[in-house]
Amino acid sequence: MRVPLSWLREYVDLPAGTTGRDVQAKLVDAGLEVERVEQLGAGLQGPLVVGQVLTIEELEGFRKPIRFCTVDVGQANGTGEPQEIVCGARNFSVGDKVVVVLPGAVLPGDFAIASRKTYGRTSHGMICSGDELGMGDDGTHGIIVLPPEHEVGTDAIELLQLVDEVLDIAVTPDRGYCLSMRGVARETATAYGLPLRDPALLDVPAPNSYGYLVKIDDPAGCDRFTARTVTGLDPEAKSPIWLTRRLQKAGMRPISLAVDVTNYVMLELGQPLHAYDRSRLDGAIGVRRAEQGEKFTTLDGVKRTLDSEDLVITDNSGPIGLAGVMGGADTEIADSVTDPETGAVSGTTDVVIEAAHFDALTISRSARRHKLASEASKRFERGVDPQAASAAAQRTVDLLVLLAGGTAEAGVTELTAPGAPRTIAMRADHPDRVAGMDYGRETVVRRLQEVGCDVYGQDELVVTVPSWRPDLAEPNDLAEEVIRLEGYGNLPSTLPQLPSGRGLTARQQLHRRVGRALAGAGYVEALSYPFVGEGVFDQLQLPAHDAARQVVKLVNPISDEEPALRTTLLPGLLGALRRNDSRGSHDLALFETGSVFRAGPQPGVAVRLPVDRRPTAEEIATLNAALPAQPRYAAVVLAGAREQAGWWGKGRPADWADAVQAARSLAVEAGTELVVRQGQYGPWHPGRCAELLVTLDGVETVIGHAGELHPRVVKAMGLPARTSAMELDLDRLAAAGGGAVQAPRISTFPVATQDVALIVDASVPAASVEAALRKGAGELLESLRLFDVFTGEQVGGGKKSLAYALRFRAADRTLTAEESTAARDAAVALAAERTGAVLRGA
């Protein structure tokens, strides 16, 4: 809602010198979101005056039409002589009154005006359009043509109200009354402690039986309908400058007098209105639900198919308006047309004014169903004051009579459904208990009365809610009104005290250690949305029966392209890698830890928990049972260089081994042993994929995979070549761990190193050989490291040589050569038994 300060002053006598910034601060303290204060006419300097076009000479020989004009500006130029001006616009004629800016003036945007030679003539100033003066669009996209009554030489800055301040307020859904000058003025008056001149306090004639006939078939959808008729309107009447300027400042485009008046009253009182050309109405006006598939054309020229839930305005011909959203084209106010032969002017002369109150939910659904948001629907769906309808209709009638020379017919139609004011019972100290401070009954009553409530009672208050506040429905709403008017800044700041002895859970501690370990290894954390489209599983080459394809779909997804909850972290991480690579960052190492969502065999149905009490343990258990399983995963992706080249060396590209090592580092943090074997799964290259296993309940269980991605996956997802990735189940990894990680014992005795080179078949995994060596070496083995892999004629075809460094150490003595050699021989013997390894050179 855009609120011109000059308009606001009509309803509240603000202190002299009050600026828009001052009002903004007051309204923000009262709980309104004033986003900015726009300074209209900032930097504007005159002379800017009314001029009258005396002559127009068409200049030829240029690519576009150019006119050389003489304009009478009175004594504003100091000489009284006509001002010579070059202008390219064509929407004005000799004798028209226009706005002229003279040399020495400065227009908005620091545009200085001076005499200059152009198109072979010297132009002493400029004839102005609305855009050049910062007024906005007036519908003509051309020069401002003023009414003839304005005198030549009049100051146009004051005439056009070019200098003003406009408050831009983001009205939240619960404060629909602030979508009007009346509502904002009420808040301003309360904030300053000043009286309000309510524009809705008008003398309205009582309804009678000879107004325009209206029939309401759906009183639940329309509980109030006021109709007034004005005849004898001058079809040539134009909206005065003050009216068009207020509409422009409020962000609306002037259209025609009748439409401008209804828009103006809507902005003033918050009540949407509609004006029908009475000559185009066929019989009585009706309000009913639409028939399924019924069609009619709205004012924007679109033919719409109606739903049976839509509320429509009708006459004998059928629908003539989508209630509370937009009127129909068939009863639109006609523009004035002049007959070129007779000079007679035709147009709308008689109008029927509608001021109604519609059900907020019905209007909201219709606007969204037809994708037709309007100023009217925006107000109705937030709540409109039903008591303001008759005053809004009267205000519209008064303006049309005043500005278009019409006559108000005596007939007044007003249909209302039975209803009673809403009341709320509340303890007088309820706001005190909500805010945690003592306001007292007197303050509570005073603040509620300022809002517009009627308050009765002592300790137990009975509060009658004003008609313009449909958001006030329970005691907490009333407490909020008291608290915000007393000032949120005055609330005490009290930090909650946590019970001692409680910290992070073991699961939370592991997640933090995992994040620190990966960050320390050079990975950057990337947080992605937990939503995926099912097409990504085809890109990852997952088989049709894969469990990851069993997704949980959202009823109301943020994006129709990603309607499901993720079952793997890889799509989000790979998307982040692709975006960064496309923007020039080619050496990437990203990680993410987060929940994935696994659908159960049967979709769960969540129960609706009560809000008036704490849910029982059974209700919470039922709710949890309906939720999908949400294990915590960790994943990394790598591309480009893992080690940068420099004076220290050539560097090294990231490869599958880095992804495997990331998994090993997570196992260390979890305090468990990770088994790495050759595997084959979905997105990974079949020859460069490692299967990650841990022992759970005595059984080796696969918890993830690591390695280089398949080239087809890389191509399908637009990834860099040789991209590697790792993903594992953190919860299962933690379950296999031994709890807290134990620090290693440091022995003071020397280490004994033994190297062995074993020849095995090329198909034998190095991990199998390593496991056998580790098992056979026994307790004296401190560490085992593969430091060389060799293939060639020396070891034979189909064979490979694996060289290992074994470190032996005892905690209580220095090992003898015989002991370390015996341990090595035992390791080699078990490796030979399990894998067929042969000691090289033996």
Side-chain angles (χ1 to χ4, degrees), residues 67-243:
R67 312 168 97 186
F68 181 68
C69 311
T70 59
V71 185
D72 179 12
V73 294
Q75 297 299 318
N77 57 7
T79 64
E81 297 295 324
Q83 200 78 3
E84 296 178 340
I85 299 174
V86 175
C87 183
R90 309 191 65 79
N91 68 311
F92 64 95
S93 306
V94 172
D96 283 345
K97 299 287 182 69
V98 293
V99 178
V100 179
V101 58
L102 301 177
V106 179
L107 294 184
D110 198 25
F111 180 32
I113 303 299
S115 298
R116 65 189 185 97
K117 190 169 183 179
T118 179
Y119 297 103
R121 302 293 179 95
T122 299
S123 181
H124 301 282
M126 191 168 72
I127 303 176
C128 298
S129 68
D131 288 336
E132 291 163 340
L133 297 179
M135 296 171 56
D137 180 23
D138 62 357
T140 65
H141 301 287
I143 294 301
I144 301 171
V145 178
L146 299 171
E149 62 268 18
H150 297 292
E151 295 185 6
V152 169
T154 301
D155 182 6
I157 295 178
E158 182 178 352
L159 175 67
L160 299 177
Q161 305 172 25
L162 297 178
V163 179
D164 202 350
E165 294 180 278
V166 178
L167 285 72
D168 193 350
I169 303 176
V171 179
T172 53
D174 61 330
R175 303 211 178 273
Y177 66 96
C178 284
L179 287 172
S180 67
M181 294 299 303
R182 181 194 186 201
V184 176
R186 185 181 300 280
E187 290 293 324
T188 305
T190 302
Y192 276 93
L194 297 172
L196 169 71
R197 286 189 291 274
D198 191 346
L201 295 180
L202 301 176
D203 291 330
V204 179
N208 49 54
S209 59
Y210 42 94
Y212 200 92
L213 185 59
V214 176
K215 299 178 181 179
I216 298 178
D217 295 332
D218 189 345
C222 176
D223 58 7
R224 181 180 293 265
F225 196 108
T226 300
R228 300 289 299 276
T229 303
V230 181
T231 60
L233 299 178
D234 180 2
E236 292 186 287
K238 305 293 182 183
S239 300
I241 291 175
W242 66 266
L243 178 58

Side-chain angles (χ1 to χ4, degrees), residues 510-575:
L510 173 62
H511 295 161
R512 290 200 176 185
R513 291 201 306 272
V514 164
R516 284 195 293 265
L518 291 175
Y523 291 87
V524 177
E525 186 171 16
L527 301 177
S528 55
Y529 286 112
F531 312 114
V532 295
E534 294 182 82
V536 75
F537 301 126
D538 296 329
Q539 294 178 328
L540 293 176
Q541 296 195 7
L542 298 183
H545 60 275
D546 195 284
R549 286 184 176 269
Q550 306 304 313
V551 297
V552 178
K553 291 187 177 181
L554 302 175
V555 176
N556 187 20
I558 295 177
S559 169
D560 291 337
E561 296 179 357
E562 295 180 332
L565 293 172
R566 67 187 179 190
T567 56
T568 168
L569 301 180
L570 290 182
L573 268 182
L574 293 174

Side-chain angles (χ1 to χ4, degrees), residues 507 530-531 547-555 563-568 594-607 620-633 731:
R507 187 170 186 254
F531 312 114
R549 286 184 176 269
Q550 306 304 313
V551 297
V552 178
K553 291 187 177 181
L554 302 175
V555 176
L565 293 172
R566 67 187 179 190
T567 56
T568 168
S595 297
V596 300
F597 304 86
R598 298 287 187 176
Q602 295 292 333
V605 179
V607 298
I620 295 176
T622 304
L623 178 64
N624 289 334
L627 298 176
Q630 301 176 45
R632 187 97 170 179
Y633 273 38
D731 289 342

Side-chain angles (χ1 to χ4, degrees), residues 44 71 104 271 318 332 384 542 564 579 607 663 665-666 764 775 812 832 837:
L44 177 63
V71 185
Q271 168 67 53
E332 181 181 7
V384 169
L542 298 183
R579 285 191 299 274
V607 298
S665 66
L666 300 191
V764 175
K775 179 73 174 178
D812 57 350

